[in-house]
Amino acid sequence: MVGWRMLRKESDDLVYELRQQKLWEEGDNLMCVPRQWELWDEDDSLMCSSRQRDHGTREVTSYTDIRIYHNSIRHRGEAYPIIFGNLRSISLAYPLICFNCSLPLVFKPRPSTSAVYLSALIIAMAVSTGKTTSFSSSFPYSSCLLPRAPSPFFHFQPKALHFRYHLATPSPQSLSFSSSASSSYSRFCRVSTVPVEQAPAPGFDFEKEIDHLHALRSRLRKANTLREKLRVLDADHRVRDFFRSGRDLFSLDLKDEFLIKCLVAAGQGHVLGSGLHRGGGGVGHHSLKQAFYILADMIEKWNLDGVRIEVEDEDVGGGGMSEPLEKLLKTLNDVEEFYDCVGGIIGYQVVVLELLSPLKSKGKSNWFSHMNLSLCELQEFHVPSGANLLEDAEYASQAAFWGLEGLPELGEIYPLGGAGDRLGLVDPVTGECLPAAMLPYCGSTLLEGLLRDLQAREFLHFKVFGKQCITPVAMMTSSVKNNHDHILALCKKHGWFGRGQQKFRLFEQPMVPVVATEDGQWLINEPLSLVCKPGGHGAIWKLAYDKGIFQWFYSHGRKGATVRQVSNVVAATDVTLLALAGVGLRHEKKLGFASCQRNFGATEGINVLVEKQSEDGQWTYGLTCIEYTEFEKYDIKVVPISLSSLQAEFPANTNVLYVDLRAAESIGASKSRSSLPGLVLNMKKPVTYVDHLGIQHSVSGGRLECTMQNIADNFLNTYASRCNEGIQSLLDTFILYNERRRVTSSAKRKRKMVDKSLHQTPDGSFLDVIRNASDLLSQCNIKIPEIADNSRYLHSGPPFIILLHPALGPLWEVTRQKFYGGSISEGSELQVEVAEFSWRNVQLNGSFLIVAENVMGSTRNEHGEPILHYGHRCGRCKLENVKILNRGVDWLCAKNVYWSLDIKRIEMLKVQLHGNAEFEATNVVLEGNHVFDVPDGYRMHVVSSDAGFEVKLDLIKDEMMERGSWFWEYKMNGSHIQLQKIEL
């Protein structure tokens, strides 16, 4: 007798034992196999289990010894898939698979049966050769899984299942079925299997595995041609053993064959499962295996009435390739090509195991290896010194001017490939998961916000120097959540933001396999389907070189670039980005960091000054970054400056960077491990994924990542003797400081209702945007209520809303000259979406929105594309001695989402400017709900009258159509910008 012990750990940790019991009608032998199981023999000794790593191939004499795994049935060393039918064709989510000896028995459900989702596979099988045996069971909850009567979970009677089978045992050549199943079983590819969950081998020898793969990688590197490399792989024992068991690659070309064999040689043969027997390759010769494929074909061709239907053939066995295999090969090819600097697929696994190895994690830092440092060499980490833009206003203005002047030599780089899982962003219409770049924030997506900030700097350059400047933008995307497609569609929807498609370059980063912590096994959703994630934003430098991005920048005359992440909504505030780029360009630095104070306990990295002495007595210095996940490994103690301070000693790494393009290109082109800076294997958080059955898994694992800021590790300077503090000004790297909320405030994670922290949430960053606006307008002699701490926001939202288009500045010294006097009451809302704007003594108590179509200029068609021309036919608004009173925002509405501007208003004053329309209000009180819609080519003037106010609408004179009836003139006074209002 054989006993089955069921472990349902995913739900209730109960242990069930299934013994012989008659469950259905005579002759129908059912065995319920959950996701975790153990098979015991009649002597009560363990024969095999779902956790057993060595599947074994020992000879068996009866089907009592058939080993059933999560994704296959294994018998005499051969693996057979557990087959599921097309859910459109049959009524059971998990159809029964039945066989007597080597002959399958096929069931046909009655039309009255309904779809059922079982938590365990149901397999019907004969337990002895040539005859049937019934099972008995002591399963306490069998009525839930295998009920004898109807239940809420099983809406049909067991007697509704009917089987038909041949009693004879035919030869493989004579197998036939009464359902007229196609004999061309090799063309059938719609076979699903339960995922294999890899359990670590006891005593997995990391060192032995690393040595083996090192040697294999060395032999592959010595091979010059693809055929030579294949000969090297064919000599590997894993490849030899794997393909000896009947697996073939007949329909694959040499490159695809190479990729598959690299996968197997890297110890990841489980990824293939039985997939190679289906699309893209030949099938095995075993009769039982053939029978399973015929069975799958039959199930696909059944409808709910049990009648065979015609199914369009898929060209798989006839030379085509199945979609899962094609997708797998693309991923493998991406890994092989991108990680060629470390040895491709084999090298990827070597690095993974090196970072996972217990010998590596005990007392040794992975960071030292990617800095080319050893423990004995590293001397100290110091707090880096740099100019403080908040405290030194003159230097800040000078540095910002350098950046503004050098704008034609700058590019912009956006790493957009991250999954943004913590945001939980979902399309409300389609239910599709969306990437972080698509988050609706303050009226537009995060990506649109980055481009608004860039255009504001370009508009400022135009106003100061009178020259049109369009910055080339490179965006690294990925395939996760259709990231690349969504970003491309957004750019097309907005006409490439009036910049022209040639000013954009999108390049897609490869997805990399997620590995298990225990032994580096690659996780899969099902055979041929890897669990993949983007490989970190550090891929940007090598990928930019591989894709020709640097050459593209050079073709536009660019020398440097600013880098920022899409989730950081405040990085362009005031002087931050312009000053960073200005210092980098002016002093020909290779890399610069925009930094700020780090809040104690925050989950963010730090910037440090590294000082070390090498074995030859040389001293090396440079700025770099250490991620917060690595503090423990490096024995870094991040403590508050004082006992009463919440500010940490080391400054925060914000990933707001300036980079010299030639320097970055030299690293990306290095063909060495240094082109993948900051390689880490982040295992801090469990990996969650959903298999093809819709079951969610959470396992300890991670992926190989690299960090873009750690390119700094390649820019260290060496000196013959130890240097003093003043050495920092001579380094190739530099750092600038500013107030934290003017440098970094991110929308990275969705705030939970019970969460009392706003850190890295859209709510928290929105509050910082408002605080910045309050700081700015308070310097304009405008009375504004104080903003309380974050706890008040959690209960009642922000005290007011102030959102100013960045083109009003973006430098605050420019914006301050456009606002003066008046007040903004608590509970008010101010949104200004126009650059040519004048506020003089305005009192706001309620909501006031002004929106211009032409904020910074208008578009002209050039070579079939709309191109924005700065300063051309802008909308304009001028307010003087105006009092605005209305009921404004409904602050009591529970549905308000302030950071996305999805808010309910009771009343408001709104001014809509079309084309080059102008709006002017003087000496007037505007009370109640009003919308002033000004058509293109007209000027609306609102003045006081006995009735309250009157509106005058006049056509703008022809000679004023281009520049307007008034405009702000920008002039330089040293490093400062002075504005003068010009009335025409």
Side-chain angles (χ1 to χ4, degrees):
M1 185 199 313
V2 178
W4 291 86
R5 182 171 297 169
M6 314 296 179
L7 280 71
R8 296 190 39 80
K9 290 188 175 181
E10 294 168 340
S11 58
D12 47 26
D13 283 331
L14 294 177
V15 176
Y16 305 133
E17 290 187 10
L18 181 61
R19 297 290 182 182
Q20 290 187 351
Q21 180 181 4
K22 184 175 178 180
L23 297 176
W24 302 84
E25 55 187 276
E26 189 69 29
D28 299 343
N29 306 303
L30 303 180
M31 296 171 68
C32 176
V33 184
R35 295 184 53 77
Q36 291 185 314
W37 52 266
E38 295 172 348
L39 177 59
W40 301 74
D41 64 14
E42 56 190 3
D43 296 325
D44 207 33
S45 60
L46 181 67
M47 295 171 58
C48 57
S49 75
S50 62
R51 297 183 297 277
Q52 187 169 335
R53 184 178 182 83
D54 183 8
H55 295 175
T57 57
R58 69 182 178 86
E59 196 73 14
V60 296
T61 56
S62 72
Y63 281 92
T64 57
D65 279 347
I66 286 182
R67 299 189 173 193
I68 303 176
Y69 293 88
H70 282 250
N71 72 324
S72 63
I73 298 177
R74 186 174 291 273
H75 174 234
R76 299 177 188 265
E78 295 288 342
Y80 313 106
I82 296 174
I83 304 173
F84 299 93
N86 188 324
L87 298 185
R88 295 169 300 177
S89 305
I90 66 172
S91 62
L92 285 177
Y94 298 136
L96 307 184
I97 297 176
C98 316
F99 59 85
N100 183 2
C101 300
S102 61
L103 179 64
L105 309 179
V106 183
F107 82 99
K108 181 177 71 172
R110 290 179 176 173
S112 60
T113 62
S114 59
V116 177
Y117 189 92
L118 297 179
S119 62
L121 292 175
I122 301 178
I123 300 175
M125 58 189 300
V127 297
S128 61
T129 305
K131 60 182 179 180
T132 62
T133 304
S134 62
F135 278 77
S136 62
S137 175
S138 59
F139 197 121
Y141 299 112
S142 59
S143 60
C144 293
L145 293 178
L146 305 172
R148 302 177 186 176
S151 76
F153 307 103
F154 233 74
H155 300 296
F156 65 91
Q157 294 284 350
K159 298 293 182 180
L161 293 177
H162 289 259
F163 298 84
R164 48 184 179 162
Y165 51 87
H166 301 282
L167 295 177
T169 305
S171 64
Q173 291 78 13
S174 63
L175 279 173
S176 62
F177 290 83
S178 59
S179 63
S180 304
S182 170
S183 61
S184 180
Y185 55 82
S186 64
R187 296 176 61 82
F188 173 74
C189 73
R190 291 183 294 275
V191 177
S192 302
T193 58
V194 177
V196 177
E197 294 182 1
Q198 297 300 315
F204 182 75
D205 193 333
F206 279 90
E207 290 300 309
K208 182 178 179 181
E209 181 68 9
I210 291 171
D211 290 343
H212 169 72
L213 294 180
H214 263 303
L216 178 59
R217 180 175 61 179
S218 298
R219 293 194 296 272
L220 286 171
R221 281 175 168 171
K222 292 177 182 178
N224 297 319
T225 67
L226 189 56
R227 290 190 181 277
E228 289 178 1
K229 293 179 184 294
L230 280 169
R231 282 195 288 271
V232 171
L233 290 170
D234 287 337
D236 183 79
H237 71 277
R238 283 181 181 147
V239 176
R240 219 171 36 241
D241 294 344
F242 189 87
F243 292 99
R244 179 184 296 162
S245 60
R247 298 174 173 90
D248 55 66
L249 302 170
F250 293 152
S251 67
L252 300 182
D253 60 25
L254 288 181
K255 180 60 183 293
D256 292 342
E257 181 181 348
F258 170 76
L259 296 173
I260 292 293
K261 289 182 176 178
C262 280
L263 179 71
V264 174
Q268 309 305 319
H270 67 279
V271 173
L272 301 175
S274 58
L276 286 182
H277 301 297
R278 310 318 310 262
V283 296
H285 58 277
H286 196 282
S287 61
L288 183 56
K289 185 187 300 182
Q290 294 180 9
F292 269 108
Y293 293 142
I294 295 173
L295 170 61
D297 199 15
M298 294 173 60
I299 293 175
E300 278 290 312
K301 291 181 170 66
W302 286 345
N303 64 12
L304 291 177
D305 297 323
V307 180
R308 183 175 182 272
I309 60 175
E310 293 298 324
V311 180
E312 184 178 351
D313 289 336
E314 297 181 24
D315 188 14
V316 176
M321 185 183 295
S322 70
E323 183 179 345
L325 180 58
E326 187 175 3
K327 184 177 179 181
L328 173 65
L329 287 170
K330 180 185 183 304
T331 301
L332 294 177
N333 187 66
D334 289 344
V335 173
E336 177 67 23
E337 290 186 353
F338 182 74
Y339 291 97
D340 58 355
C341 57
V342 294
I345 293 171
I346 303 298
Y348 179 89
Q349 189 63 11
V350 168
V351 176
V352 165
L353 294 177
E354 286 177 343
L355 296 175
L356 275 177
S357 171
L359 295 178
K360 284 281 181 181
S361 63
K362 290 181 181 178
K364 289 189 178 182
S365 163
N366 300 327
W367 183 71
F368 296 131
S369 64
H370 64 63
M371 284 190 65
N372 296 319
L373 299 174
S374 67
L375 279 171
C376 62
E377 290 177 329
L378 186 62
Q379 299 302 305
E380 288 186 40
F381 291 139
H382 302 279
V383 177
S385 60
N388 191 315
L389 303 177
L390 185 64
E391 297 176 357
D392 192 342
E394 283 302 314
Y395 182 81
S397 295
Q398 182 64 71
F401 175 73
W402 292 335
L404 185 64
E405 187 180 37
L407 200 61
E409 296 180 319
L410 289 169
E412 198 97 342
I413 300 176
Y414 302 147
L416 306 177
D421 291 331
R422 291 186 292 169
L423 276 173
L425 183 60
V426 176
D427 188 307
V429 177
T430 66
E432 180 184 8
C433 293
L434 297 175
M438 303 300 295
L439 180 73
Y441 188 90
C442 291
S444 60
T445 64
L446 287 179
L447 178 57
E448 291 173 73
L450 264 61
L451 291 162
R452 278 160 55 100
D453 288 341
L454 174 58
Q455 289 176 324
R457 298 195 295 279
E458 293 170 344
F459 179 72
L460 179 61
H461 182 274
F462 169 80
K463 296 291 285 186
V464 171
F465 300 104
K467 297 179 181 179
Q468 176 96 347
C469 174
I470 300 182
T471 305
V473 178
M475 299 190 288
M476 184 177 72
T477 65
S478 73
S479 62
V480 64
K481 298 181 180 178
N482 292 319
N483 175 297
H484 181 88
D485 294 339
H486 281 299
I487 290 171
L488 182 61
L490 183 68
C491 291
K492 290 180 177 179
K493 175 184 176 182
H494 291 278
W496 297 97
F497 300 94
R499 311 174 65 77
Q501 186 175 354
Q502 73 278 4
K503 290 293 184 179
F504 287 88
R505 184 63 65 89
L506 277 65
F507 56 112
E508 191 171 343
Q509 74 178 110
M511 302 288 282
V512 300
V514 177
V515 303
T517 304
E518 296 285 352
D519 55 3
Q521 290 285 286
W522 296 7
L523 300 179
I524 60 174
N525 297 302
E526 59 180 314
L528 303 182
S529 178
L530 292 168
V531 178
C532 289
K533 294 284 187 180
H537 47 51
I540 200 166
W541 310 120
K542 183 180 186 300
L543 197 63
Y545 173 76
D546 291 344
K547 301 298 183 182
I549 303 301
F550 292 110
Q551 294 300 320
W552 176 72
F553 274 129
Y554 303 149
S555 70
H556 286 88
R558 308 295 151 155
K559 296 180 179 180
T562 48
V563 186
R564 63 180 292 196
Q565 292 181 288
V566 70
S567 58
N568 185 353
V569 299
V570 300
T573 302
D574 195 12
V575 298
T576 301
L577 275 184
L578 284 174
L580 180 70
V583 173
L585 282 173
R586 185 76 173 186
H587 299 296
E588 298 182 341
K589 299 291 188 179
K590 293 182 178 179
L591 187 73
F593 295 90
S595 188
C596 58
Q597 72 272 18
R598 179 180 184 272
N599 292 334
F600 181 66
T603 55
E604 59 192 8
I606 57 174
N607 291 126
V608 299
L609 172 65
V610 177
E611 179 187 40
K612 67 117 177 178
Q613 185 181 25
S614 60
E615 294 178 357
D616 59 2
Q618 299 287 309
W619 288 84
T620 302
Y621 296 86
L623 290 169
T624 190
C625 166
I626 301 177
E627 284 300 309
Y628 76 94
T629 54
E630 311 295 296
F631 290 169
E632 184 178 349
K633 292 182 181 179
Y634 315 142
D635 197 27
I636 298 288
K637 306 297 183 184
V638 182
V639 297
I641 294 176
S642 64
L643 293 177
S644 60
S645 175
L646 294 178
Q647 179 182 336
E649 179 182 10
F650 287 99
N653 172 64
T654 65
N655 282 339
V656 180
L657 308 173
Y658 164 81
V659 64
D660 177 82
L661 293 174
R662 294 286 180 186
E665 183 186 28
S666 68
I667 303 305
S670 64
K671 300 296 182 184
S672 66
R673 187 163 170 169
S674 61
S675 65
L676 303 173
L679 276 174
V680 294
L681 202 60
N682 188 349
M683 300 287 190
K684 288 286 186 179
K685 298 177 182 177
V687 177
T688 58
Y689 64 95
V690 178
D691 66 23
H692 66 301
L693 301 178
I695 300 173
Q696 181 167 305
H697 301 260
S698 181
V699 299
S700 176
R703 64 192 184 276
L704 193 61
E705 298 182 69
C706 42
T707 51
M708 64 180 181
Q709 65 274 18
N710 280 106
I711 193 176
D713 302 336
N714 299 284
F715 300 145
L716 304 180
N717 296 85
T718 302
Y719 300 91
S721 60
R722 191 171 190 177
C723 304
N724 57 29
E725 250 181 65
I727 191 62
Q728 278 198 241
S729 62
L730 303 178
L731 299 178
D732 288 330
T733 52
F734 71 98
I735 191 168
L736 294 179
Y737 293 103
N738 205 344
E739 186 179 17
R740 181 178 177 88
R741 63 173 177 259
R742 303 189 196 184
V743 180
T744 181
S745 188
S746 298
K748 288 186 176 181
R749 65 178 182 89
K750 183 178 181 180
R751 182 176 70 89
K752 300 177 182 178
M753 294 301 294
V754 296
D755 195 350
K756 295 183 178 180
S757 172
L758 299 182
H759 182 61
Q760 293 188 335
T761 66
D763 308 79
S765 60
F766 179 70
L767 204 51
D768 282 338
V769 169
I770 293 176
R771 286 191 173 106
N772 285 335
S774 176
D775 290 347
L776 168 60
L777 296 185
S778 295
Q779 301 171 23
C780 304
N781 199 31
I782 298 175
K783 296 180 180 179
I784 300 178
E786 291 187 3
I787 301 178
D789 59 26
N790 292 353
S791 61
R792 178 171 176 179
Y793 179 93
L794 295 172
H795 296 290
S796 56
F800 50 81
I801 297 173
I802 301 177
L803 298 175
L804 308 177
H805 195 286
L808 285 163
L811 300 180
W812 283 12
E813 75 168 7
V814 173
T815 311
R816 284 196 299 263
Q817 297 175 65
K818 296 180 179 181
F819 287 83
Y820 185 81
S823 63
I824 298 176
S825 301
E826 185 169 357
S828 294
E829 175 192 17
L830 173 65
Q831 293 189 43
V832 181
E833 290 287 311
V834 60
E836 297 287 6
F837 180 74
S838 177
W839 165 300
R840 294 293 182 267
N841 192 27
V842 177
Q843 298 178 52
L844 173 60
N845 190 346
S847 288
F848 174 45
L849 288 71
I850 177 163
V851 181
E853 288 180 354
N854 297 350
V855 177
M856 297 168 283
S858 61
T859 58
R860 297 175 183 172
N861 192 287
E862 296 182 8
H863 308 292
E865 288 187 299
I867 303 298
L868 176 63
H869 285 260
Y870 293 117
H872 174 70
R873 295 178 64 87
C874 294
R876 301 168 202 279
C877 179
K878 184 165 55 174
L879 307 173
E880 186 172 351
N881 297 325
V882 176
K883 190 172 185 179
I884 300 171
L885 299 171
N886 57 65
R887 296 169 64 189
V889 173
D890 182 1
W891 297 98
L892 298 179
C893 179
K895 295 182 179 180
N896 286 343
V897 181
Y898 299 104
W899 54 267
S900 66
L901 295 186
D902 183 11
I903 55 180
K904 179 183 177 182
R905 300 178 183 90
I906 302 172
E907 292 180 332
M908 67 175 175
L909 169 64
K910 183 175 182 179
V911 177
Q912 178 72 51
L913 303 175
H914 299 275
N916 67 341
E918 300 182 10
F919 179 84
E920 182 176 344
T922 55
N923 302 314
V924 64
V925 176
L926 300 174
E927 186 173 359
N929 191 56
H930 300 285
V931 176
F932 297 109
D933 196 78
V934 189
D936 184 20
Y938 283 84
R939 176 175 176 268
M940 179 179 288
H941 191 193
V942 179
V943 296
S944 180
S945 70
D946 294 338
F949 65 85
E950 63 176 321
V951 178
K952 299 179 181 179
L953 187 64
D954 301 312
L955 188 67
I956 298 175
K957 296 179 181 179
D958 290 342
E959 61 270 21
M960 299 180 182
M961 280 291 181
E962 296 298 317
R963 303 188 66 184
S965 63
W966 68 274
F967 60 89
W968 289 109
E969 183 179 69
Y970 293 49
K971 290 184 177 180
M972 295 303 304
N973 182 10
S975 61
H976 296 278
I977 301 174
Q978 289 186 342
L979 271 60
Q980 181 180 358
K981 188 188 297 181
I982 304 298
E983 303 273 1
L984 299 179

